[in-house]
Amino acid sequence: MQENDTISAISTPLGEGGIGIVRLSGPDAFAVADRIFDCPKNSDPGFPEPRRLYYGHIRDNDGEIIDEVLVSYMPAPHTYTREDIVEINCHSGILTLRAILRIVLNSGARLAEPGEFTKRAFLKGRIDLSQAEAVMNIIRARSEEAVKIAARTLQGDLAGKVGRVREELIDLRAPLEAWFDYPEEFSGDIPGSDRIKLKLHELQKVLQDLVQGVERSRAYQEGVSVAIIGRPNVGKSSLLNALLRQQRAIVHEIPGTTRDMLEGNMNLGGYPISLVDTAGIQGTEDPVEQQGIERSRAAAERARLLVVVLDGSSPWTQEDAEIAGLRNPDQGLVVVINKVDLEQKIPAATVKKIFTDAEIVKTAALTGAGIDLLEEAVTRQLDLVLGTTGESPLLVSIRHEEIIRGAMLNIENAIYAVDTQPLELVSLELQIAWNLLGEITGETVTEPLLDKIFSEFCLGK
Ligand SMILES: Nc1nc2c(ncn2[C@@H]2O[C@H](COP(=O)(O)OP(=O)(O)O)[C@@H](O)[C@H]2O)c(=O)[nH]1
Ligand SMILES: [Mg+2]
């Protein structure tokens, strides 16, 4: 990729709106804008005084007015990319935006690749790789909590923590390496094995705190799947509708009404939740229903939490028992005794005995009674299975998690090697850990990995 040319892209979503922005970055950003932007001569100060908005028109190559716009010019280096940037604020219609982009591209800029503005910010050293990735996490965040985590990372919190661990690793290695290389001249202090181990345990703890709660912060970012299961007619679809506060699923007294799984999105306790209603699980000869049940079982298996629904107005059955058996021990569990408005045939005490570690909630989906309690129970169970975090969770991406777990393994090896191996091996493990951690901030990252990371960005960012 050439880094010295001028790139451009539409930086706002392609759709109808008040304002759309075409952005340019690179050494010719101003020259390109100057060719196509017609600014009234009486503007004072005249275009291009930096960081001012100029009113005027964009003309196409035949001189015809395409749109009425506001244009700003921001010279390097105090910009997002550390290059000259021009932003053209136009009317946000798909055709207007595309027309202006085409004129810009005809006038000396090239189309930016996805994430290329941010990649330039990274390559020019304005932000590190963890901050660049946080930009995308902010854009893609699905909950307020996820926005906060990404904002902290964008401020450099993750890079700071990882950077300090790397510095400590260097401090530990420096006297060792000097001693290996120049044993005669070395006059410093070789840390004793106890001191090395103590320090390494401290670093291990810092990294451990980072990976702690990663599942929870990832849940804030990517969402969690919650599946409602139970035999036919217990009120699963009614509960889904009550939770979503919309008539999403068809509810009917005829058993087997829901023949396929169905999904709806909601937010509970800060988690974006994908709520899955499933086909009632029962033995059936109907091939369509069988397929629906298979898909439902698979959805239940993938879910982080199961809501097992029982019909309180009918006795406990063998089918209920089989459904209860679908849950694997890692999954959170909330048991709902539904239809409490009718005469009850399952004593709550019996349910408690069967589901010893579950939250048990009584509801009447028909009237909405107990739905708030169900929401609270689901939130509590999710908090429980996703694990508590430290003060401020930072880790979201699988890439970061793998790197940190890898570095922890090297440090673990180093701790073991202190007592059993030559110190050269200890130092080597620490060097590997240092290198690995550098991939988080991008200091030791390879070109193909960079390309891969930025290719996942959206256009115009
Ligand atoms: N009385 C009463 N009926 C309910 C309640 N919840 C659901 N039903 C009824 O039970 C039947 C089956 O409900 P549905 O939600 O389709 O059950 P599903 O097969 O488990 O999805 C429908 O006739 C519902 O109106 C409830 O809390 N009380
Ligand atoms: Mg149903």
Side-chain angles (χ1 to χ4, degrees):
M1 179 188 297
Q2 298 165 5
E3 259 110 46
N4 251 337
D5 52 359
T6 298
I7 54 173
S8 180
I10 298 166
S11 284
T12 43
L14 260 189
E16 288 178 20
I19 297 170
I21 297 177
V22 174
R23 177 157 60 170
L24 292 88
S25 177
D28 295 332
F30 166 68
V32 171
D34 203 32
R35 257 167 236 150
I36 61 174
F37 176 51
D38 194 359
C39 184
K41 295 286 170 277
N42 58 2
S43 296
D44 179 32
F47 186 66
E49 182 78 7
R51 296 187 177 74
R52 294 183 77 102
L53 274 182
Y54 284 90
Y55 168 85
H57 298 92
I58 297 290
R59 291 184 189 271
D60 68 12
N61 300 101
D62 301 325
E64 189 161 346
I65 289 179
I66 296 300
D67 197 10
E68 199 173 47
V69 297
L70 289 174
V71 172
S72 64
Y73 165 62
M74 291 160 275
H78 300 295
T79 62
Y80 186 64
T81 53
R82 283 209 171 157
E83 302 175 332
D84 288 354
I85 284 189
V86 168
E87 284 183 2
I88 303 171
N89 294 244
C90 61
H91 293 108
S92 181
I94 298 176
L95 293 178
T96 310
L97 280 164
R98 289 220 172 110
I100 293 177
L101 179 64
R102 192 173 334 107
I103 297 166
V104 166
L105 299 181
N106 283 340
S107 309
R110 118 174 120 72
L111 185 64
E113 292 168 20
E116 196 171 358
F117 291 94
T118 309
K119 185 175 186 182
R120 288 184 171 201
F122 165 70
L123 290 174
K124 296 259 159 58
R126 196 182 78 80
I127 51 176
D128 69 52
L129 192 56
S130 71
Q131 292 170 309
E133 289 174 285
V135 169
M136 210 52 225
N137 285 343
I138 288 182
I139 293 173
R140 298 230 168 100
R142 285 179 57 195
S143 68
E144 276 178 38
E145 208 55 45
V147 172
K148 286 182 198 158
I149 295 170
R152 281 199 291 269
T153 309
L154 183 57
Q155 292 316 303
D157 287 17
L158 179 61
K161 280 215 166 78
V162 170
R164 277 191 292 281
V165 172
R166 291 182 85 222
E167 274 166 29
E168 303 254 20
L169 287 172
I170 294 221
D171 288 348
L172 261 178
R173 286 186 60 225
L176 299 181
E177 290 293 321
W179 180 58
F180 303 147
D181 292 345
Y182 310 102
E184 297 84 20
E185 286 140 61
F186 187 75
S187 60
D189 182 20
I190 291 289
S193 56
D194 284 347
R195 223 173 87 205
I196 297 180
K197 279 193 288 189
L198 192 70
K199 191 81 232 172
L200 291 180
H201 279 297
E202 274 173 37
L203 297 183
Q204 206 65 320
K205 170 84 174 58
V206 175
L207 297 178
Q208 180 63 47
D209 285 351
L210 275 175
V211 286
Q212 185 115 50
V214 58
E215 195 189 357
R216 186 182 193 153
S217 35
R218 200 174 290 146
Y220 286 134
Q221 175 76 12
E222 292 166 9
V224 263
S225 164
V226 172
I228 307 176
I229 63 171
R231 62 184 164 82
N233 244 10
V234 291
K236 297 178 295 302
S237 299
S238 307
L239 283 168
L240 175 98
N241 290 344
L243 286 166
L244 297 178
R245 289 164 179 81
Q246 67 181 69
Q247 296 307 308
R248 178 85 177 76
I250 300 173
V251 167
H252 205 278
E253 60 195 14
I254 302 170
T257 301
T258 313
R259 309 227 300 178
D260 198 355
M261 50 170 276
L262 200 108
E263 245 172 309
N265 292 317
M266 64 185 297
N267 212 298
L268 267 189
Y271 300 108
I273 288 178
S274 141
L275 190 63
V276 185
D277 180 22
T278 60
I281 295 175
Q282 63 171 348
T284 173
E285 297 297 311
D286 178 347
V288 179
E289 199 180 350
Q290 274 174 359
Q291 266 201 36
I293 291 174
E294 256 337 290
R295 288 166 58 115
S296 297
R297 277 180 193 275
E301 221 168 89
R302 280 194 304 272
R304 199 66 194 82
L305 183 142
L306 292 180
V307 176
V308 172
V309 186
L310 307 172
D311 178 348
S313 70
S314 73
W316 172 262
T317 68
Q318 183 52 34
E319 273 175 337
D320 288 319
E322 280 168 25
I323 288 156
L326 288 178
R327 176 223 185 183
N328 74 54
D330 295 341
Q331 283 175 315
L333 179 63
V334 174
V335 175
V336 175
I337 303 175
N338 190 37
K339 306 197 188 181
V340 286
D341 53 310
L342 304 176
E343 194 199 328
Q344 295 296 285
K345 303 265 173 63
I346 313 180
T350 312
V351 178
K352 266 204 189 83
K353 255 188 231 152
I354 299 165
F355 301 96
T356 44
D357 63 338
E359 293 245 11
I360 297 165
V361 186
K362 292 181 177 177
T363 63
L366 210 56
T367 64
I371 295 300
D372 50 344
L373 297 177
L374 174 56
E375 290 178 346
E376 286 166 21
V378 167
T379 308
R380 266 195 308 273
Q381 275 285 303
L382 282 176
D383 283 344
L384 200 71
V385 292
L386 296 172
T388 48
T389 59
E391 278 300 285
S392 48
L394 282 170
L395 224 54
V396 176
S397 90
I398 292 175
R399 188 180 90 80
H400 293 167
E401 187 189 354
E402 280 177 356
I403 290 172
I404 291 183
R405 290 197 191 280
M408 287 174 72
L409 207 63
N410 292 120
I411 294 177
E412 189 68 51
N413 291 345
I415 293 172
Y416 171 75
V418 168
D419 290 326
T420 58
Q421 312 280 334
L423 278 179
E424 276 89 342
L425 277 182
V426 175
S427 184
L428 182 65
E429 291 288 353
L430 300 184
Q431 188 191 355
I432 299 173
W434 180 87
N435 248 314
L436 207 51
L437 290 173
E439 289 183 14
I440 287 185
T441 46
E443 277 144 296
T444 56
V445 86
T446 59
E447 188 67 36
L449 181 59
L450 275 188
D451 287 343
K452 184 175 171 295
I453 289 170
F454 284 103
S455 69
E456 282 158 16
F457 273 57
C458 50
L459 265 167
K461 190 61 213 174

